[in-house]
Coordinates of all heavy atoms in Angstrom, one line a residue:
M1 N 0.8 -1.2 0.0 CA 0.0 0.0 0.0 C 0.9 1.3 0.0 O 1.9 1.3 0.6 CB -0.9 0.0 1.3 CG -1.9 -1.1 1.4 SD -3.2 -1.1 0.3 CE -4.2 0.3 0.8
L2 N 0.4 2.3 -0.7 CA 1.1 3.6 -0.6 C 0.8 4.2 0.7 O -0.4 4.3 1.2 CB 0.6 4.5 -1.7 CG 0.9 4.1 -3.1 CD1 0.2 5.0 -4.1 CD2 2.4 4.2 -3.3
D3 N 1.8 4.6 1.4 CA 1.7 5.1 2.8 C 2.4 6.4 2.8 O 3.1 6.9 1.9 CB 2.4 4.1 3.7 CG 2.0 4.2 5.2 OD1 1.3 5.2 5.5 OD2 2.4 3.3 6.0
L4 N 2.3 7.1 4.0 CA 3.0 8.4 4.2 C 3.9 8.1 5.4 O 3.7 7.3 6.2 CB 2.0 9.5 4.5 CG 1.0 9.8 3.4 CD1 0.0 10.8 3.8 CD2 1.7 10.3 2.1
P5 N 5.0 8.9 5.6 CA 5.8 8.8 6.7 C 5.1 9.0 8.0 O 4.2 9.9 8.1 CB 7.0 9.8 6.5 CG 6.6 10.6 5.4 CD 5.4 10.0 4.7
G6 N 5.4 8.3 9.0 CA 4.7 8.5 10.3 C 5.1 7.4 11.3 O 5.8 6.5 11.0
G7 N 4.6 7.5 12.5 CA 4.8 6.5 13.5 C 4.4 7.0 14.9 O 3.8 8.1 15.0
G8 N 4.8 6.3 15.9 CA 4.4 6.6 17.2 C 5.5 7.5 17.9 O 6.7 7.4 17.6
R9 N 5.0 8.3 18.9 CA 5.9 9.2 19.6 C 6.8 8.4 20.5 O 6.4 7.3 21.0 CB 5.1 10.1 20.5 CG 4.4 11.2 19.7 CD 3.7 12.1 20.6 NE 2.5 12.6 20.1 CZ 1.7 13.5 20.6 NH1 2.0 14.0 21.8 NH2 0.6 13.9 20.1
E10 N 8.0 8.9 20.7 CA 9.0 8.3 21.6 C 9.3 9.3 22.8 O 9.4 10.5 22.5 CB 10.3 7.9 20.9 CG 10.1 6.8 19.9 CD 11.3 6.5 19.1 OE1 12.4 7.1 19.4 OE2 11.3 5.6 18.3
N11 N 9.3 8.7 24.0 CA 9.7 9.6 25.1 C 8.7 10.7 25.2 O 7.5 10.6 25.1 CB 11.1 10.0 25.1 CG 12.1 8.8 25.0 OD1 11.9 7.8 25.7 ND2 13.0 8.8 24.2
D12 N 9.2 11.9 25.4 CA 8.4 13.1 25.6 C 8.3 14.0 24.3 O 8.0 15.2 24.4 CB 8.9 13.9 26.7 CG 8.8 13.3 28.1 OD1 7.8 12.5 28.2 OD2 9.6 13.5 29.0
E13 N 8.6 13.4 23.1 CA 8.6 14.3 22.0 C 7.2 14.7 21.6 O 6.2 14.0 21.9 CB 9.3 13.6 20.8 CG 8.6 12.4 20.2 CD 9.4 11.6 19.2 OE1 10.5 12.0 18.8 OE2 8.8 10.6 18.7
S14 N 7.1 15.9 21.0 CA 5.9 16.4 20.5 C 5.4 15.7 19.2 O 6.3 14.9 18.6 CB 6.0 17.9 20.2 OG 6.8 18.1 19.1
G15 N 4.2 15.9 18.8 CA 3.8 15.3 17.6 C 4.6 15.7 16.4 O 5.0 14.9 15.5
A16 N 5.0 17.0 16.3 CA 5.8 17.5 15.2 C 7.2 16.9 15.3 O 7.8 16.6 14.3 CB 5.8 19.0 15.2
E17 N 7.7 16.8 16.5 CA 9.1 16.2 16.6 C 9.1 14.7 16.2 O 10.0 14.2 15.6 CB 9.5 16.3 18.1 CG 9.9 17.7 18.5 CD 10.1 17.9 20.0 OE1 9.5 17.1 20.8 OE2 10.7 18.9 20.4
C18 N 8.0 14.0 16.5 CA 7.8 12.6 16.1 C 7.8 12.5 14.6 O 8.6 11.7 14.0 CB 6.5 12.1 16.7 SG 6.1 10.4 16.1
V19 N 7.0 13.3 13.9 CA 7.0 13.2 12.4 C 8.3 13.6 11.8 O 8.7 13.1 10.8 CB 5.7 13.9 11.8 CG1 5.8 15.4 11.8 CG2 5.4 13.3 10.5
A20 N 8.9 14.6 12.4 CA 10.3 15.0 11.9 C 11.3 13.8 12.0 O 12.0 13.5 11.1 CB 10.8 16.2 12.6
R21 N 11.2 13.2 13.2 CA 12.1 12.0 13.4 C 11.8 10.9 12.4 O 12.7 10.3 11.8 CB 12.0 11.5 14.8 CG 12.9 10.3 15.1 CD 12.7 9.8 16.5 NE 11.3 9.6 17.0 CZ 10.5 8.6 16.6 NH1 10.9 7.7 15.7 NH2 9.2 8.6 17.0
E22 N 10.5 10.6 12.3 CA 10.1 9.5 11.4 C 10.5 9.8 9.9 O 10.9 8.9 9.2 CB 8.6 9.2 11.5 CG 8.1 8.6 12.8 CD 8.5 7.2 13.0 OE1 8.9 6.5 12.0 OE2 8.4 6.6 14.1
T23 N 10.4 11.0 9.5 CA 10.7 11.4 8.2 C 12.3 11.2 8.0 O 12.7 10.7 7.0 CB 10.3 12.9 7.9 OG1 8.9 13.0 8.0 CG2 10.7 13.3 6.5
Q24 N 13.0 11.6 9.0 CA 14.5 11.3 9.0 C 14.8 9.9 8.9 O 15.6 9.4 8.1 CB 15.1 12.0 10.2 CG 16.6 11.5 10.4 CD 17.5 12.1 9.4 OE1 17.4 13.2 9.0 NE2 18.5 11.3 9.0
E25 N 14.1 9.1 9.7 CA 14.4 7.6 9.7 C 14.0 6.9 8.4 O 14.6 6.1 7.9 CB 13.6 6.9 10.9 CG 14.2 7.3 12.2 CD 13.3 6.7 13.4 OE1 12.3 6.0 13.1 OE2 13.7 7.0 14.5
E26 N 12.8 7.4 7.8 CA 12.3 6.7 6.7 C 12.8 7.2 5.3 O 12.9 6.5 4.4 CB 10.8 6.8 6.7 CG 10.2 6.0 7.9 CD 8.7 6.2 8.0 OE1 8.0 6.5 7.0 OE2 8.2 5.9 9.1
F27 N 13.2 8.5 5.3 CA 13.6 9.1 4.0 C 15.0 9.8 4.1 O 15.5 10.3 3.1 CB 12.6 10.1 3.5 CG 11.3 9.5 3.1 CD1 10.2 9.4 3.9 CD2 11.3 8.9 1.8 CE1 9.1 8.7 3.5 CE2 10.1 8.3 1.4 CZ 9.0 8.2 2.2
G28 N 15.6 9.8 5.3 CA 16.9 10.4 5.4 C 17.0 11.9 5.2 O 18.1 12.4 5.0
I29 N 15.9 12.6 5.3 CA 15.9 14.0 5.2 C 15.5 14.6 6.5 O 14.6 14.1 7.2 CB 15.1 14.6 4.1 CG1 13.6 14.0 4.2 CG2 15.7 14.2 2.7 CD1 12.7 14.6 3.1
Q30 N 16.2 15.7 6.9 CA 15.9 16.4 8.1 C 14.9 17.6 7.8 O 15.2 18.4 7.0 CB 17.1 16.9 8.8 CG 18.0 15.8 9.3 CD 19.2 16.4 10.0 OE1 19.6 17.5 9.9 NE2 19.7 15.5 10.9
V31 N 13.8 17.6 8.5 CA 12.8 18.6 8.4 C 12.6 19.2 9.8 O 12.3 18.4 10.7 CB 11.5 18.1 7.8 CG1 10.5 19.3 7.7 CG2 11.7 17.5 6.5
A32 N 12.8 20.4 10.0 CA 12.6 21.0 11.4 C 11.1 21.0 11.7 O 10.2 21.2 10.9 CB 13.0 22.5 11.4
A33 N 10.8 20.6 13.0 CA 9.4 20.5 13.4 C 8.6 21.7 13.1 O 7.4 21.6 12.8 CB 9.4 20.2 14.9
E34 N 9.2 22.9 13.2 CA 8.4 24.1 12.9 C 8.0 24.3 11.5 O 7.2 25.2 11.1 CB 9.1 25.3 13.5 CG 10.5 25.6 12.9 CD 11.6 24.9 13.7 OE1 11.3 24.1 14.6 OE2 12.8 25.1 13.3
K35 N 8.5 23.5 10.6 CA 8.2 23.5 9.1 C 6.8 23.0 8.8 O 6.2 23.2 7.8 CB 9.2 22.8 8.3 CG 10.6 23.5 8.3 CD 10.5 24.7 7.4 CE 11.9 25.2 7.2 NZ 12.0 26.5 6.5
F36 N 6.2 22.2 9.8 CA 4.9 21.5 9.5 C 3.9 22.6 9.7 O 3.7 23.2 10.7 CB 4.8 20.3 10.5 CG 5.7 19.3 10.2 CD1 6.9 19.1 10.9 CD2 5.5 18.4 9.2 CE1 7.8 18.1 10.6 CE2 6.4 17.4 8.8 CZ 7.6 17.3 9.6
E37 N 3.1 22.7 8.6 CA 2.1 23.9 8.5 C 0.7 23.5 8.9 O -0.1 24.4 9.1 CB 2.1 24.3 7.0 CG 3.5 24.7 6.5 CD 3.5 25.0 5.1 OE1 2.4 25.0 4.4 OE2 4.6 25.1 4.5
Y38 N 0.4 22.3 9.0 CA -1.0 21.9 9.2 C -1.0 20.7 10.2 O -0.2 19.8 10.2 CB -1.6 21.4 7.9 CG -3.0 20.9 8.0 CD1 -4.1 21.7 8.1 CD2 -3.2 19.5 7.9 CE1 -5.4 21.2 8.1 CE2 -4.5 19.0 8.0 CZ -5.6 19.9 8.0 OH -6.9 19.4 8.1
I39 N -1.9 20.8 11.1 CA -2.1 19.7 12.1 C -3.6 19.5 12.3 O -4.4 20.5 12.4 CB -1.4 20.0 13.4 CG1 -1.6 18.9 14.4 CG2 -1.9 21.3 14.0 CD1 -0.8 19.0 15.7
E40 N -4.0 18.3 12.4 CA -5.4 17.9 12.7 C -5.3 16.7 13.5 O -4.5 15.8 13.4 CB -6.1 17.6 11.4 CG -7.6 17.4 11.5 CD -8.3 18.6 12.0 OE1 -8.1 19.7 11.5 OE2 -9.1 18.5 13.0
N41 N -6.3 16.6 14.5 CA -6.4 15.4 15.3 C -7.5 14.5 14.7 O -8.5 15.0 14.2 CB -6.9 15.8 16.7 CG -5.8 16.5 17.5 OD1 -4.8 16.0 17.7 ND2 -6.1 17.7 17.9
Y42 N -7.2 13.2 14.6 CA -8.2 12.3 14.1 C -8.3 11.1 15.2 O -7.3 10.8 15.8 CB -7.7 11.6 12.8 CG -7.8 12.6 11.6 CD1 -6.8 13.4 11.3 CD2 -8.9 12.6 10.9 CE1 -6.8 14.3 10.2 CE2 -9.1 13.5 9.8 CZ -8.0 14.3 9.5 OH -8.1 15.2 8.4
P43 N -9.4 10.5 15.2 CA -9.5 9.3 16.0 C -8.4 8.2 15.5 O -8.1 8.2 14.3 CB -10.9 8.7 15.8 CG -11.6 9.9 15.3 CD -10.6 10.7 14.5
N44 N -7.9 7.4 16.4 CA -7.0 6.4 16.0 C -7.6 5.5 15.0 O -8.8 5.0 15.2 CB -6.5 5.6 17.3 CG -5.4 4.7 17.0 OD1 -5.5 3.8 16.1 ND2 -4.3 4.8 17.8
W45 N -7.0 5.3 13.9 CA -7.6 4.5 12.8 C -7.8 3.0 13.2 O -8.6 2.3 12.6 CB -6.8 4.5 11.5 CG -5.4 3.9 11.7 CD1 -4.3 4.4 12.1 CD2 -5.1 2.5 11.3 NE1 -3.2 3.5 12.1 CE2 -3.7 2.3 11.6 CE3 -5.8 1.4 10.8 CZ2 -3.0 1.2 11.4 CZ3 -5.1 0.2 10.6 CH2 -3.8 0.1 10.9
R46 N -7.2 2.6 14.3 CA -7.4 1.2 14.8 C -8.7 1.1 15.7 O -9.1 0.1 16.1 CB -6.2 0.8 15.6 CG -5.0 0.6 14.8 CD -3.8 0.1 15.7 NE -2.6 0.0 15.0 CZ -1.6 0.9 14.9 NH1 -1.7 2.0 15.6 NH2 -0.5 0.7 14.2
G47 N -9.2 2.3 16.0 CA -10.5 2.3 16.8 C -10.2 2.4 18.3 O -11.1 2.5 19.1
Q48 N -8.9 2.4 18.7 CA -8.6 2.5 20.1 C -7.2 3.1 20.2 O -6.5 3.1 19.3 CB -8.6 1.1 20.8 CG -7.6 0.1 20.2 CD -7.8 -1.2 20.8 OE1 -8.6 -1.5 21.6 NE2 -6.9 -2.1 20.5
G49 N -6.9 3.6 21.4 CA -5.6 4.2 21.6 C -5.7 5.7 21.4 O -6.7 6.3 21.2
A50 N -4.5 6.3 21.5 CA -4.4 7.8 21.5 C -4.8 8.3 20.1 O -4.8 7.6 19.1 CB -2.9 8.2 21.7
A51 N -5.3 9.5 20.1 CA -5.7 10.2 18.8 C -4.5 10.3 17.9 O -3.3 10.3 18.4 CB -6.2 11.6 19.1
A52 N -4.7 10.3 16.6 CA -3.7 10.4 15.6 C -3.6 11.9 15.2 O -4.6 12.6 15.1 CB -4.0 9.6 14.4
L53 N -2.4 12.3 15.0 CA -2.1 13.7 14.6 C -1.7 13.6 13.1 O -0.9 12.7 12.7 CB -1.0 14.4 15.4 CG -1.3 14.4 16.9 CD1 -0.1 15.0 17.6 CD2 -2.5 15.2 17.2
F54 N -2.1 14.6 12.3 CA -1.8 14.6 10.9 C -1.1 15.9 10.6 O -1.7 17.0 10.9 CB -3.0 14.4 10.0 CG -2.7 14.3 8.6 CD1 -2.1 13.1 8.1 CD2 -3.1 15.3 7.7 CE1 -1.9 13.0 6.7 CE2 -2.8 15.2 6.3 CZ -2.2 14.0 5.9
F55 N 0.1 15.9 10.0 CA 0.8 17.1 9.6 C 1.1 17.1 8.1 O 1.2 16.1 7.5 CB 2.2 17.0 10.3 CG 2.2 17.1 11.8 CD1 2.0 16.0 12.6 CD2 2.3 18.3 12.4 CE1 2.0 16.0 14.0 CE2 2.3 18.4 13.8 CZ 2.1 17.3 14.6
I56 N 1.2 18.3 7.6 CA 1.5 18.6 6.2 C 2.8 19.5 6.2 O 2.9 20.4 7.1 CB 0.4 19.3 5.5 CG1 -0.8 18.5 5.3 CG2 0.9 19.9 4.1 CD1 -0.7 17.3 4.3
C57 N 3.7 19.2 5.3 CA 4.9 20.0 5.2 C 5.2 20.2 3.7 O 5.3 19.1 3.0 CB 6.1 19.4 6.0 SG 7.5 20.4 5.9
H58 N 5.4 21.4 3.2 CA 5.8 21.6 1.8 C 7.3 21.8 1.8 O 7.8 22.6 2.5 CB 5.1 22.8 1.3 CG 3.6 22.7 1.2 ND1 2.9 22.1 0.2 CD2 2.6 23.0 2.2 CE1 1.6 22.1 0.4 NE2 1.4 22.6 1.6
L59 N 7.9 20.9 1.0 CA 9.4 21.0 0.9 C 9.8 21.4 -0.5 O 9.1 21.1 -1.5 CB 9.9 19.6 1.2 CG 9.6 19.0 2.6 CD1 10.1 17.6 2.8 CD2 10.2 19.9 3.7
P60 N 10.9 22.0 -0.6 CA 11.4 22.3 -2.0 C 11.8 21.1 -2.8 O 12.2 20.1 -2.2 CB 12.6 23.2 -1.7 CG 13.1 22.9 -0.3 CD 11.8 22.4 0.4
R61 N 11.5 21.1 -4.1 CA 11.9 20.0 -5.0 C 13.4 19.6 -4.8 O 13.7 18.5 -5.0 CB 11.6 20.4 -6.4 CG 10.4 19.7 -6.9 CD 10.3 19.8 -8.4 NE 8.9 19.5 -8.8 CZ 8.4 18.3 -8.7 NH1 9.1 17.3 -8.3 NH2 7.1 18.1 -9.0
S62 N 14.2 20.6 -4.5 CA 15.6 20.3 -4.4 C 15.9 19.3 -3.3 O 17.0 18.6 -3.4 CB 16.4 21.6 -4.1 OG 15.9 22.2 -2.8
M63 N 15.0 19.1 -2.4 CA 15.2 18.1 -1.3 C 15.1 16.6 -1.9 O 15.6 15.7 -1.2 CB 14.3 18.3 -0.2 CG 14.7 19.5 0.7 SD 13.8 19.5 2.3 CE 14.9 18.4 3.2
L64 N 14.5 16.5 -3.0 CA 14.3 15.1 -3.6 C 15.6 14.4 -3.7 O 15.8 13.2 -3.5 CB 13.6 15.1 -4.9 CG 12.1 15.5 -4.8 CD1 11.5 15.6 -6.2 CD2 11.3 14.6 -4.0
G65 N 16.7 15.2 -4.1 CA 18.0 14.6 -4.3 C 18.7 14.2 -3.0 O 19.6 13.4 -3.0
E66 N 18.1 14.6 -1.9 CA 18.7 14.3 -0.6 C 18.1 13.0 0.0 O 18.6 12.5 1.1 CB 18.5 15.5 0.4 CG 19.2 16.7 -0.1 CD 18.9 17.9 0.8 OE1 18.6 17.7 2.0 OE2 19.0 19.0 0.4
I67 N 17.0 12.5 -0.6 CA 16.3 11.3 0.0 C 17.2 10.1 -0.1 O 17.8 9.8 -1.1 CB 15.0 11.1 -0.7 CG1 14.0 12.2 -0.4 CG2 14.4 9.8 -0.3 CD1 12.7 12.2 -1.1
I68 N 17.4 9.5 1.1 CA 18.0 8.2 1.2 C 17.0 7.2 1.8 O 16.8 7.3 3.0 CB 19.3 8.3 2.0 CG1 20.3 9.3 1.4 CG2 20.0 6.9 2.1 CD1 21.4 9.6 2.3
F69 N 16.3 6.5 1.0 CA 15.2 5.6 1.5 C 15.7 4.6 2.4 O 16.7 3.9 2.1 CB 14.5 5.0 0.3 CG 13.2 4.3 0.6 CD1 12.2 5.1 1.1 CD2 13.1 3.0 0.5 CE1 11.0 4.5 1.4 CE2 11.9 2.4 0.8 CZ 10.8 3.1 1.3
G70 N 15.1 4.4 3.5 CA 15.5 3.5 4.6 C 14.9 2.1 4.3 O 14.5 1.8 3.1
D71 N 14.8 1.3 5.3 CA 14.4 -0.1 5.1 C 13.0 -0.4 5.6 O 12.6 -1.5 5.9 CB 15.4 -1.0 5.9 CG 15.4 -0.8 7.4 OD1 14.7 0.2 7.8 OD2 16.2 -1.5 8.0
E72 N 12.2 0.7 5.7 CA 10.8 0.5 6.3 C 9.8 0.4 5.2 O 8.6 0.6 5.4 CB 10.5 1.6 7.2 CG 11.3 1.6 8.5 CD 10.9 2.6 9.5 OE1 9.7 3.0 9.5 OE2 11.7 2.9 10.4
G73 N 10.2 0.2 3.9 CA 9.2 0.1 2.8 C 9.9 -0.5 1.6 O 11.0 -0.9 1.7
Q74 N 9.1 -0.5 0.5 CA 9.7 -1.1 -0.7 C 10.1 -0.1 -1.7 O 10.8 -0.5 -2.7 CB 8.6 -2.0 -1.3 CG 8.2 -3.2 -0.4 CD 7.1 -4.0 -0.9 OE1 6.4 -3.6 -1.9 NE2 6.8 -5.1 -0.2
G75 N 9.8 1.1 -1.5 CA 10.2 2.1 -2.5 C 9.5 3.4 -2.2 O 8.7 3.5 -1.3
W76 N 9.8 4.5 -3.0 CA 9.1 5.7 -2.8 C 9.0 6.4 -4.1 O 9.6 6.1 -5.1 CB 9.9 6.6 -1.8 CG 11.3 7.1 -2.3 CD1 12.4 6.5 -2.3 CD2 11.5 8.3 -3.0 NE1 13.4 7.2 -2.9 CE2 12.9 8.4 -3.3 CE3 10.7 9.4 -3.4 CZ2 13.5 9.4 -4.0 CZ3 11.3 10.5 -4.1 CH2 12.7 10.5 -4.4
E77 N 8.0 7.3 -4.1 CA 7.8 8.1 -5.3 C 7.0 9.4 -4.9 O 6.5 9.5 -3.8 CB 6.9 7.4 -6.4 CG 5.5 7.0 -6.0 CD 4.8 6.3 -7.0 OE1 4.3 6.9 -8.0 OE2 4.6 5.0 -6.9
T78 N 7.1 10.4 -5.8 CA 6.4 11.6 -5.5 C 5.2 11.6 -6.5 O 5.2 11.0 -7.5 CB 7.2 12.9 -5.8 OG1 7.6 12.9 -7.1 CG2 8.4 12.9 -4.9
M79 N 4.1 12.3 -6.0 CA 2.9 12.4 -6.9 C 2.1 13.5 -6.3 O 2.3 14.0 -5.2 CB 2.1 11.1 -6.9 CG 1.4 10.7 -5.5 SD 0.5 9.2 -5.5 CE 1.9 8.0 -5.7
A80 N 1.2 14.0 -7.1 CA 0.3 15.1 -6.7 C -0.6 14.5 -5.6 O -1.0 13.3 -5.7 CB -0.6 15.5 -7.9
A81 N -1.0 15.3 -4.7 CA -1.9 14.9 -3.6 C -3.2 14.3 -4.2 O -3.7 13.3 -3.7 CB -2.2 16.0 -2.7
S82 N -3.7 14.9 -5.2 CA -5.0 14.4 -5.9 C -4.8 13.0 -6.4 O -5.7 12.2 -6.4 CB -5.5 15.4 -6.9 OG -4.5 15.6 -7.9
D83 N -3.6 12.7 -6.9 CA -3.3 11.4 -7.5 C -3.2 10.4 -6.3 O -3.7 9.2 -6.4 CB -2.0 11.3 -8.2 CG -2.0 12.1 -9.5 OD1 -3.2 12.4 -10.0 OD2 -1.0 12.5 -10.0
F84 N -2.6 10.7 -5.2 CA -2.6 9.9 -4.0 C -4.0 9.5 -3.6 O -4.4 8.4 -3.3 CB -1.8 10.5 -2.9 CG -1.8 9.7 -1.6 CD1 -0.9 8.7 -1.5 CD2 -2.6 10.1 -0.5 CE1 -0.9 7.9 -0.3 CE2 -2.6 9.3 0.6 CZ -1.7 8.2 0.8
I85 N -4.9 10.5 -3.5 CA -6.3 10.3 -3.1 C -7.0 9.3 -4.1 O -7.8 8.5 -3.6 CB -7.0 11.6 -3.0 CG1 -6.5 12.5 -1.9 CG2 -8.5 11.5 -2.9 CD1 -7.0 13.9 -1.9
A86 N -6.7 9.4 -5.3 CA -7.4 8.6 -6.4 C -6.9 7.2 -6.5 O -7.5 6.3 -7.1 CB -7.3 9.3 -7.7
R87 N -5.7 6.9 -5.9 CA -5.1 5.6 -6.1 C -5.8 4.5 -5.3 O -6.2 4.7 -4.2 CB -3.6 5.6 -5.6 CG -2.7 6.5 -6.4 CD -2.2 5.8 -7.7 NE -1.4 4.7 -7.5 CZ -0.1 4.7 -7.6 NH1 0.6 5.7 -8.0 NH2 0.6 3.5 -7.4
S88 N -6.0 3.3 -5.9 CA -6.7 2.2 -5.3 C -5.7 1.5 -4.3 O -6.2 0.7 -3.5 CB -7.2 1.2 -6.3 OG -6.2 0.7 -7.1
D89 N -4.4 1.8 -4.4 CA -3.5 1.1 -3.6 C -2.9 1.9 -2.5 O -1.8 1.6 -1.9 CB -2.3 0.5 -4.4 CG -1.6 1.5 -5.3 OD1 -2.1 2.7 -5.4 OD2 -0.5 1.2 -5.8
A90 N -3.6 3.0 -2.1 CA -3.1 3.9 -1.0 C -3.9 3.6 0.3 O -5.0 3.1 0.2 CB -3.3 5.4 -1.4
V91 N -3.3 3.9 1.4 CA -3.9 3.7 2.7 C -5.2 4.6 2.8 O -5.1 5.8 2.7 CB -2.9 4.0 3.8 CG1 -3.6 3.8 5.2 CG2 -1.7 3.0 3.7
P92 N -6.4 4.0 2.9 CA -7.6 4.7 2.8 C -7.7 5.9 3.9 O -8.2 7.0 3.5 CB -8.7 3.7 3.1 CG -8.1 2.4 2.6 CD -6.6 2.5 2.9
H93 N -7.4 5.6 5.1 CA -7.5 6.7 6.1 C -6.6 7.9 5.8 O -6.9 9.0 6.2 CB -7.4 6.2 7.6 CG -6.1 5.7 8.0 ND1 -5.6 4.5 7.8 CD2 -5.1 6.4 8.6 CE1 -4.4 4.4 8.3 NE2 -4.0 5.5 8.8
L94 N -5.4 7.6 5.2 CA -4.5 8.7 4.8 C -5.1 9.4 3.6 O -4.9 10.6 3.5 CB -3.1 8.1 4.6 CG -2.5 7.6 5.9 CD1 -1.1 7.0 5.5 CD2 -2.4 8.6 7.0
Q95 N -5.7 8.7 2.7 CA -6.3 9.4 1.6 C -7.4 10.4 2.1 O -7.4 11.5 1.6 CB -7.0 8.4 0.7 CG -6.0 7.6 -0.1 CD -6.7 6.5 -0.9 OE1 -7.4 5.7 -0.4 NE2 -6.5 6.5 -2.2
K96 N -8.2 10.0 3.1 CA -9.2 10.9 3.6 C -8.5 12.1 4.3 O -9.0 13.3 4.1 CB -10.1 10.2 4.6 CG -11.1 11.1 5.3 CD -12.0 10.5 6.2 CE -13.0 11.4 6.8 NZ -12.8 12.9 6.8
R97 N -7.4 11.9 5.0 CA -6.8 13.0 5.7 C -6.2 14.0 4.7 O -6.2 15.2 4.8 CB -5.7 12.5 6.6 CG -6.4 11.8 7.8 CD -5.4 11.0 8.7 NE -6.2 10.2 9.6 CZ -5.6 9.5 10.5 NH1 -4.3 9.4 10.6 NH2 -6.4 8.7 11.3
V98 N -5.6 13.5 3.6 CA -5.0 14.4 2.5 C -6.2 15.1 1.9 O -6.1 16.3 1.6 CB -4.2 13.6 1.5 CG1 -3.8 14.4 0.3 CG2 -3.0 13.0 2.2
G99 N -7.3 14.4 1.7 CA -8.5 15.1 1.1 C -9.0 16.2 2.0 O -9.4 17.3 1.5
D100 N -9.1 15.9 3.3 CA -9.5 17.0 4.2 C -8.6 18.2 4.2 O -9.1 19.3 4.2 CB -9.4 16.4 5.7 CG -10.5 15.4 6.0 OD1 -11.4 15.2 5.2 OD2 -10.4 14.7 7.0
Y101 N -7.3 18.0 4.0 CA -6.3 19.1 3.9 C -6.6 19.9 2.6 O -6.7 21.1 2.7 CB -4.9 18.6 3.9 CG -3.9 19.6 3.5 CD1 -3.6 20.7 4.4 CD2 -3.3 19.6 2.3 CE1 -2.7 21.7 4.1 CE2 -2.4 20.6 1.9 CZ -2.1 21.6 2.8 OH -1.3 22.6 2.4
L102 N -6.8 19.2 1.5 CA -7.0 19.9 0.3 C -8.3 20.7 0.3 O -8.5 21.7 -0.4 CB -7.0 18.9 -0.9 CG -5.7 18.2 -1.2 CD1 -5.8 17.2 -2.3 CD2 -4.6 19.3 -1.6
N103 N -9.3 20.2 1.0 CA -10.7 20.8 1.0 C -10.9 21.8 2.1 O -12.0 22.3 2.3 CB -11.7 19.7 1.1 CG -11.8 18.8 -0.1 OD1 -11.6 19.3 -1.2 ND2 -11.9 17.5 0.1
R104 N -9.8 22.1 2.9 CA -10.1 23.0 4.0 C -10.2 24.4 3.6 O -10.0 24.8 2.5 CB -8.9 22.9 5.0 CG -7.6 23.4 4.5 CD -6.5 23.2 5.5 NE -5.2 23.4 4.9 CZ -4.6 24.6 5.0 NH1 -5.0 25.5 5.8 NH2 -3.4 24.8 4.4

């Protein structure tokens, strides 16, 4: 399935610090927590546990050359957000969250 970077918080890190760390671990790029422009709380997609936080960050195209894909997936690609929403092989709850962002 097409997924987005993310994961669970460690220690006392904030949600933005968590997604910055996960992006570093999964794609090898450093993004400062303050670069995340959008945050929304969603119920945990598993139906239990802590609420999920969703962040958006716009990065310059020049950062694509800095990506060093880690071992937590099978590959990566860039695409328009509308294409991600339309794909049949994308994680459905993430498609909804991207759609919510586009429609805000």
